[in-house]
Amino acid sequence: MHELCTPGDAAAKLAAAERILILTHVKPDGDAVGSALGMQKFLRDTGKQADAFFPAPLPQRYLWMAEGNAPLPSLSREQAAACDLVLVLDCASPLRIAGGDDLDWEFLQTLPLLNVDHHGGNTVEAGSNLVDSKAAAASLLAAEIAFASGRELSRGAATAWLLGLITDTGGFRFTNTDGRALRIAARLLDCGAELEKINNAVFFSKPRNQQEFEADLLQNHLKFAFDGKFVYAWLPEELFAAYHFDMRDGEGVIDLLRELEGAVIVALFYRRGDAFKVSLRSKDSRYPVGPMARALGGGGHDMAAGITLVLPDSGAVETLLCQEVGKLLDTGTPKDI
Ligand code: AMP
Ligand code: MN
Ligand code: MN
C-alpha cells in the first residue's frame, strides 16, 4: 500500500519543482491526454518548465489540445534525469506507463515520482502518491491539485481537464459520475472550459472511415452469449485494414456494444503484437468486470477494464472470456459499498 498524499500535498510538491516531466499511460485515452496536457498548460502558466511526453502519436480527435501547448517530441534518459519531478497520471501499473523505449520502470523508479491516479488497484509505488479510486478521472484529481494551489486556471487547462472528466464518465452517464465530478466540472466551466469544443471533438467528429468500420463491426462481427447478456466482438486485422482504421482512435467503439438492449457485459478484442488486447465494460454494478480483468492479469475499474492476453488464437480468447463472463453472471460478485 502507498503512503497517500492530498491534493494540497501534491500542489506543494509541484510548486517546489522547477522542471517537471509528465507521463501517462500507453494507448492514451481522453483522460490520459487531458490530464497530462492540462497539467502541462497549468504548470507552464505558473512559469515552470513542464513537459508532457507521449511516445506514440496522439489520437486524431485530441490533437487540437496540443496546439500552442506542444508536448515533448522525444525524450531521453538524460532529459528525464534532469527533471526535479516526474508526474505520472492515470497509470494503474508501472507496466502501463508510456515512457518510450528508453524509459522503463527500472529507470523511472530511480527518479522522484508523483503518482496521481484513480484506479483502485494502482500498483505504481512512487515517492508521493495521490491515488483515489472514488475520483471519476485523473483529470478531476489534476483539477483538484490546481484548485488546492490557489492559482488561477487558464481556459486551456480547464478545457483539457473537463475533456478528461467527460471522456472517463462517458459524458456524465457512467456510474463513476457523482456530485464531486459534477462540482469540479462546474468549476472548470466557470474557469472558461470550452464545452462545445470538447463535445464536438469527442462525440461529433467521427471520421467517415470509422463510421464505416463501426457499421461493418455491428453488421458482421457481433456475438451474443448467455441470452444476450454478454455481447462481444473479435476484430480481425482485415477489418482494420479494410477501413484504414487504427484502435489508437478507437476510444468509444466499445460503447456501440454497450448501447445494446439486454447487454450486461460487453467485450472487444483484437490482436496487438504477439498478444490479444481485450476491453471489457459492465452496465450493472452487480457484475463488475474489474476483478475479473485483474484475475486474468489485466486491470482497470469495476465497470471498465482491460486485459492483455497471450493465447494461441482468437478462439482461445473467446473461450476464456465466455467461461469467465459465465461465472461472473452466475455468481454476481456484489460490489463493495
Ligand atoms: P480500455 O478497455 O483500454 O479502454 O481500458 C479500460 C480500463 O482498463 C482503463 O482504465 C485501463 O487503464 C484499464 N486497462 C486496459 N487494458 C489494460 C491492461 N492490459 N492491463 C491493465 N489495465 C488495463
Ligand atoms: Mn485512461
Ligand atoms: Mn482515467
Side-chain angles (χ1 to χ4, degrees), residues 241-278:
Y243 300 98
H244 306 289
F245 185 68
D246 188 315
M247 277 307 269
R248 175 185 303 141
D249 294 311
E251 185 180 356
V253 168
I254 196 165
D255 291 326
L256 295 173
L257 280 62
R258 192 202 302 247
E259 282 167 13
L260 282 166
E261 182 185 20
V264 176
I265 294 172
V266 301
L268 275 186
F269 57 104
Y270 51 94
R271 212 175 248 294
R272 193 191 293 151
D274 295 335
F276 292 90
K277 159 76 206 204
V278 183

Short mmCIF file of all heavy atoms in Angstrom, two decimals, residues 241-278:
data_model
loop_
_atom_site.label_atom_id
_atom_site.label_comp_id
_atom_site.label_asym_id
_atom_site.label_seq_id
_atom_site.Cartn_x
_atom_site.Cartn_y
_atom_site.Cartn_z
N ALA A 241 -7.80 -3.16 -41.65
CA ALA A 241 -7.17 -2.84 -42.93
C ALA A 241 -8.22 -2.33 -43.92
O ALA A 241 -7.97 -1.35 -44.65
CB ALA A 241 -6.46 -4.07 -43.47
N ALA A 242 -9.38 -2.96 -43.93
CA ALA A 242 -10.41 -2.60 -44.92
C ALA A 242 -10.83 -1.14 -44.80
O ALA A 242 -11.20 -0.51 -45.79
CB ALA A 242 -11.61 -3.52 -44.76
N TYR A 243 -10.79 -0.60 -43.60
CA TYR A 243 -11.25 0.78 -43.39
C TYR A 243 -10.12 1.72 -42.98
O TYR A 243 -10.38 2.85 -42.55
CB TYR A 243 -12.39 0.81 -42.36
CG TYR A 243 -13.56 -0.02 -42.82
CD1 TYR A 243 -13.73 -1.33 -42.37
CD2 TYR A 243 -14.46 0.48 -43.76
CE1 TYR A 243 -14.77 -2.11 -42.84
CE2 TYR A 243 -15.51 -0.29 -44.22
CZ TYR A 243 -15.66 -1.58 -43.77
OH TYR A 243 -16.69 -2.35 -44.24
N HIS A 244 -8.88 1.24 -43.06
CA HIS A 244 -7.71 2.04 -42.65
C HIS A 244 -7.95 2.62 -41.26
O HIS A 244 -7.70 3.80 -41.01
CB HIS A 244 -7.41 3.16 -43.65
CG HIS A 244 -7.26 2.66 -45.04
ND1 HIS A 244 -6.17 1.94 -45.44
CD2 HIS A 244 -8.08 2.74 -46.10
CE1 HIS A 244 -6.31 1.60 -46.70
NE2 HIS A 244 -7.47 2.06 -47.13
N PHE A 245 -8.47 1.78 -40.40
CA PHE A 245 -8.80 2.26 -39.05
C PHE A 245 -7.86 1.65 -38.03
O PHE A 245 -7.51 0.47 -38.12
CB PHE A 245 -10.26 1.91 -38.71
CG PHE A 245 -10.69 2.47 -37.39
CD1 PHE A 245 -10.83 3.84 -37.23
CD2 PHE A 245 -10.93 1.64 -36.31
CE1 PHE A 245 -11.22 4.38 -36.00
CE2 PHE A 245 -11.32 2.17 -35.08
CZ PHE A 245 -11.46 3.53 -34.93
N ASP A 246 -7.44 2.48 -37.07
CA ASP A 246 -6.48 2.05 -36.04
C ASP A 246 -7.15 2.22 -34.68
O ASP A 246 -7.78 3.24 -34.43
CB ASP A 246 -5.25 2.98 -36.15
CG ASP A 246 -4.10 2.51 -35.28
OD1 ASP A 246 -4.35 2.15 -34.12
OD2 ASP A 246 -2.96 2.53 -35.77
N MET A 247 -6.97 1.24 -33.80
CA MET A 247 -7.61 1.35 -32.49
C MET A 247 -7.04 2.48 -31.63
O MET A 247 -7.58 2.78 -30.57
CB MET A 247 -7.57 0.01 -31.73
CG MET A 247 -8.68 -0.94 -32.13
SD MET A 247 -10.35 -0.22 -32.03
CE MET A 247 -10.82 -0.67 -30.36
N ARG A 248 -5.96 3.08 -32.10
CA ARG A 248 -5.50 4.30 -31.41
C ARG A 248 -6.63 5.33 -31.37
O ARG A 248 -6.77 6.11 -30.45
CB ARG A 248 -4.29 4.88 -32.15
CG ARG A 248 -3.83 6.21 -31.58
CD ARG A 248 -2.71 6.82 -32.39
NE ARG A 248 -1.60 5.89 -32.49
CZ ARG A 248 -0.86 5.72 -33.58
NH1 ARG A 248 -1.12 6.41 -34.67
NH2 ARG A 248 0.14 4.87 -33.58
N ASP A 249 -7.45 5.32 -32.44
CA ASP A 249 -8.59 6.24 -32.50
C ASP A 249 -9.89 5.53 -32.10
O ASP A 249 -10.97 6.02 -32.38
CB ASP A 249 -8.72 6.80 -33.92
CG ASP A 249 -7.52 7.68 -34.28
OD1 ASP A 249 -7.18 8.56 -33.48
OD2 ASP A 249 -6.91 7.47 -35.34
N GLY A 250 -9.75 4.39 -31.41
CA GLY A 250 -10.93 3.55 -31.15
C GLY A 250 -11.60 3.75 -29.81
O GLY A 250 -12.49 2.97 -29.44
N GLU A 251 -11.20 4.79 -29.06
CA GLU A 251 -11.87 5.03 -27.78
C GLU A 251 -13.36 5.24 -28.05
O GLU A 251 -13.73 6.03 -28.91
CB GLU A 251 -11.27 6.28 -27.12
CG GLU A 251 -11.80 6.55 -25.73
CD GLU A 251 -11.18 7.80 -25.10
OE1 GLU A 251 -10.28 8.41 -25.72
OE2 GLU A 251 -11.61 8.18 -24.00
N GLY A 252 -14.20 4.52 -27.36
CA GLY A 252 -15.64 4.71 -27.56
C GLY A 252 -16.26 3.68 -28.49
O GLY A 252 -17.47 3.52 -28.51
N VAL A 253 -15.43 2.96 -29.26
CA VAL A 253 -16.01 1.95 -30.16
C VAL A 253 -16.77 0.91 -29.34
O VAL A 253 -17.84 0.45 -29.73
CB VAL A 253 -14.90 1.28 -31.03
CG1 VAL A 253 -15.44 0.05 -31.75
CG2 VAL A 253 -14.37 2.28 -32.05
N ILE A 254 -16.24 0.58 -28.17
CA ILE A 254 -16.89 -0.44 -27.34
C ILE A 254 -18.30 0.00 -26.90
O ILE A 254 -19.15 -0.83 -26.58
CB ILE A 254 -15.99 -0.81 -26.13
CG1 ILE A 254 -16.48 -2.13 -25.52
CG2 ILE A 254 -15.92 0.33 -25.12
CD1 ILE A 254 -15.51 -2.77 -24.58
N ASP A 255 -18.54 1.30 -26.90
CA ASP A 255 -19.86 1.78 -26.49
C ASP A 255 -20.96 1.38 -27.47
O ASP A 255 -22.13 1.36 -27.12
CB ASP A 255 -19.84 3.29 -26.26
CG ASP A 255 -19.03 3.64 -25.03
OD1 ASP A 255 -19.05 2.84 -24.07
OD2 ASP A 255 -18.34 4.68 -25.02
N LEU A 256 -20.57 1.04 -28.70
CA LEU A 256 -21.56 0.52 -29.66
C LEU A 256 -22.20 -0.75 -29.10
O LEU A 256 -23.39 -1.01 -29.33
CB LEU A 256 -20.89 0.15 -30.98
CG LEU A 256 -20.26 1.25 -31.79
CD1 LEU A 256 -19.51 0.64 -32.96
CD2 LEU A 256 -21.35 2.18 -32.29
N LEU A 257 -21.40 -1.55 -28.39
CA LEU A 257 -21.91 -2.79 -27.82
C LEU A 257 -22.67 -2.49 -26.53
O LEU A 257 -23.71 -3.08 -26.25
CB LEU A 257 -20.75 -3.76 -27.53
CG LEU A 257 -20.19 -4.54 -28.71
CD1 LEU A 257 -19.59 -3.65 -29.78
CD2 LEU A 257 -19.13 -5.54 -28.24
N ARG A 258 -22.15 -1.57 -25.77
CA ARG A 258 -22.78 -1.20 -24.50
C ARG A 258 -24.20 -0.67 -24.74
O ARG A 258 -25.08 -0.84 -23.90
CB ARG A 258 -21.93 -0.12 -23.83
CG ARG A 258 -22.28 0.17 -22.40
CD ARG A 258 -21.82 1.53 -21.94
NE ARG A 258 -20.39 1.81 -22.04
CZ ARG A 258 -19.59 1.98 -20.98
NH1 ARG A 258 -20.06 1.86 -19.78
NH2 ARG A 258 -18.32 2.30 -21.16
N GLU A 259 -24.39 -0.02 -25.89
CA GLU A 259 -25.70 0.58 -26.17
C GLU A 259 -26.80 -0.45 -26.37
O GLU A 259 -27.98 -0.13 -26.27
CB GLU A 259 -25.60 1.42 -27.46
CG GLU A 259 -24.94 2.76 -27.26
CD GLU A 259 -24.57 3.43 -28.58
OE1 GLU A 259 -25.03 2.98 -29.64
OE2 GLU A 259 -23.80 4.41 -28.52
N LEU A 260 -26.41 -1.70 -26.65
CA LEU A 260 -27.42 -2.71 -26.99
C LEU A 260 -28.32 -3.07 -25.80
O LEU A 260 -27.84 -3.30 -24.69
CB LEU A 260 -26.74 -3.98 -27.49
CG LEU A 260 -26.26 -3.91 -28.93
CD1 LEU A 260 -25.31 -5.04 -29.23
CD2 LEU A 260 -27.46 -3.97 -29.87
N GLU A 261 -29.59 -3.14 -26.08
CA GLU A 261 -30.56 -3.55 -25.07
C GLU A 261 -30.24 -4.97 -24.60
O GLU A 261 -29.93 -5.85 -25.42
CB GLU A 261 -31.96 -3.53 -25.68
CG GLU A 261 -33.05 -3.88 -24.71
CD GLU A 261 -34.41 -3.96 -25.38
OE1 GLU A 261 -34.47 -4.12 -26.62
OE2 GLU A 261 -35.41 -3.85 -24.67
N GLY A 262 -30.30 -5.20 -23.31
CA GLY A 262 -30.10 -6.55 -22.78
C GLY A 262 -28.65 -6.89 -22.49
O GLY A 262 -28.36 -7.79 -21.70
N ALA A 263 -27.71 -6.15 -23.11
CA ALA A 263 -26.29 -6.42 -22.85
C ALA A 263 -25.96 -6.00 -21.42
O ALA A 263 -26.37 -4.93 -20.97
CB ALA A 263 -25.42 -5.65 -23.83
N VAL A 264 -25.28 -6.87 -20.69
CA VAL A 264 -24.86 -6.55 -19.32
C VAL A 264 -23.34 -6.39 -19.29
O VAL A 264 -22.81 -5.44 -18.72
CB VAL A 264 -25.30 -7.67 -18.34
CG1 VAL A 264 -24.79 -7.38 -16.94
CG2 VAL A 264 -26.81 -7.80 -18.34
N ILE A 265 -22.65 -7.33 -19.92
CA ILE A 265 -21.20 -7.23 -20.04
C ILE A 265 -20.86 -7.25 -21.53
O ILE A 265 -21.43 -8.04 -22.30
CB ILE A 265 -20.51 -8.41 -19.32
CG1 ILE A 265 -20.78 -8.27 -17.81
CG2 ILE A 265 -19.01 -8.44 -19.59
CD1 ILE A 265 -20.32 -9.45 -17.01
N VAL A 266 -19.95 -6.37 -21.93
CA VAL A 266 -19.55 -6.34 -23.33
C VAL A 266 -18.03 -6.38 -23.43
O VAL A 266 -17.32 -5.94 -22.52
CB VAL A 266 -20.11 -5.09 -24.08
CG1 VAL A 266 -21.63 -5.07 -24.03
CG2 VAL A 266 -19.52 -3.79 -23.54
N ALA A 267 -17.55 -6.95 -24.52
CA ALA A 267 -16.10 -7.06 -24.72
C ALA A 267 -15.74 -6.91 -26.19
O ALA A 267 -16.50 -7.30 -27.07
CB ALA A 267 -15.61 -8.43 -24.22
N LEU A 268 -14.59 -6.32 -26.41
CA LEU A 268 -13.99 -6.23 -27.75
C LEU A 268 -12.61 -6.82 -27.63
O LEU A 268 -11.92 -6.57 -26.64
CB LEU A 268 -13.77 -4.77 -28.14
CG LEU A 268 -14.85 -3.93 -28.76
CD1 LEU A 268 -14.23 -2.59 -29.15
CD2 LEU A 268 -15.44 -4.61 -29.97
N PHE A 269 -12.16 -7.56 -28.61
CA PHE A 269 -10.76 -7.96 -28.57
C PHE A 269 -10.15 -8.01 -29.96
O PHE A 269 -10.83 -8.24 -30.95
CB PHE A 269 -10.53 -9.25 -27.78
CG PHE A 269 -11.29 -10.45 -28.25
CD1 PHE A 269 -10.63 -11.45 -28.96
CD2 PHE A 269 -12.64 -10.62 -27.97
CE1 PHE A 269 -11.31 -12.59 -29.38
CE2 PHE A 269 -13.33 -11.74 -28.40
CZ PHE A 269 -12.68 -12.73 -29.10
N TYR A 270 -8.87 -7.70 -29.99
CA TYR A 270 -8.14 -7.61 -31.25
C TYR A 270 -6.68 -7.89 -30.96
O TYR A 270 -6.25 -7.85 -29.80
CB TYR A 270 -8.33 -6.22 -31.90
CG TYR A 270 -8.04 -5.06 -30.98
CD1 TYR A 270 -6.78 -4.46 -30.95
CD2 TYR A 270 -9.01 -4.57 -30.11
CE1 TYR A 270 -6.51 -3.40 -30.10
CE2 TYR A 270 -8.75 -3.51 -29.25
CZ TYR A 270 -7.49 -2.93 -29.26
OH TYR A 270 -7.23 -1.91 -28.39
N ARG A 271 -5.94 -8.19 -32.03
CA ARG A 271 -4.54 -8.53 -31.85
C ARG A 271 -3.71 -7.26 -31.61
O ARG A 271 -3.94 -6.25 -32.25
CB ARG A 271 -4.04 -9.20 -33.12
CG ARG A 271 -2.99 -10.21 -32.90
CD ARG A 271 -2.65 -10.91 -34.19
NE ARG A 271 -3.05 -12.31 -34.20
CZ ARG A 271 -2.54 -13.25 -33.43
NH1 ARG A 271 -1.61 -12.94 -32.53
NH2 ARG A 271 -2.94 -14.49 -33.51
N ARG A 272 -2.80 -7.35 -30.68
CA ARG A 272 -1.82 -6.27 -30.54
C ARG A 272 -0.46 -6.92 -30.35
O ARG A 272 -0.18 -7.49 -29.30
CB ARG A 272 -2.15 -5.34 -29.38
CG ARG A 272 -1.29 -4.08 -29.53
CD ARG A 272 -1.26 -3.15 -28.38
NE ARG A 272 -2.49 -2.48 -28.08
CZ ARG A 272 -2.80 -2.09 -26.86
NH1 ARG A 272 -1.99 -2.35 -25.86
NH2 ARG A 272 -3.92 -1.48 -26.63
N GLY A 273 0.36 -6.88 -31.40
CA GLY A 273 1.67 -7.57 -31.38
C GLY A 273 1.44 -9.06 -31.22
O GLY A 273 0.64 -9.66 -31.93
N ASP A 274 2.13 -9.63 -30.23
CA ASP A 274 2.04 -11.08 -30.02
C ASP A 274 0.88 -11.45 -29.12
O ASP A 274 0.70 -12.62 -28.79
CB ASP A 274 3.33 -11.59 -29.35
CG ASP A 274 4.52 -11.41 -30.27
OD1 ASP A 274 4.29 -11.36 -31.50
OD2 ASP A 274 5.65 -11.29 -29.76
N ALA A 275 0.12 -10.44 -28.68
CA ALA A 275 -0.92 -10.72 -27.68
C ALA A 275 -2.29 -10.27 -28.19
O ALA A 275 -2.42 -9.76 -29.31
CB ALA A 275 -0.57 -9.99 -26.39
N PHE A 276 -3.30 -10.49 -27.38
CA PHE A 276 -4.64 -10.00 -27.68
C PHE A 276 -5.02 -8.96 -26.65
O PHE A 276 -4.85 -9.19 -25.45
CB PHE A 276 -5.65 -11.15 -27.64
CG PHE A 276 -5.46 -12.13 -28.75
CD1 PHE A 276 -4.63 -13.23 -28.59
CD2 PHE A 276 -6.09 -11.94 -29.97
CE1 PHE A 276 -4.43 -14.13 -29.62
CE2 PHE A 276 -5.90 -12.84 -31.02
CZ PHE A 276 -5.07 -13.94 -30.84
N LYS A 277 -5.50 -7.84 -27.12
CA LYS A 277 -5.96 -6.79 -26.21
C LYS A 277 -7.48 -6.95 -26.05
O LYS A 277 -8.21 -7.00 -27.05
CB LYS A 277 -5.58 -5.43 -26.79
CG LYS A 277 -6.35 -4.24 -26.27
CD LYS A 277 -5.91 -3.82 -24.89
CE LYS A 277 -7.08 -3.12 -24.25
NZ LYS A 277 -6.92 -2.23 -23.25
N VAL A 278 -7.92 -7.04 -24.82
CA VAL A 278 -9.35 -7.20 -24.54
C VAL A 278 -9.84 -5.97 -23.78
O VAL A 278 -9.23 -5.56 -22.80
CB VAL A 278 -9.60 -8.45 -23.66
CG1 VAL A 278 -11.10 -8.64 -23.43
CG2 VAL A 278 -8.97 -9.69 -24.26
#
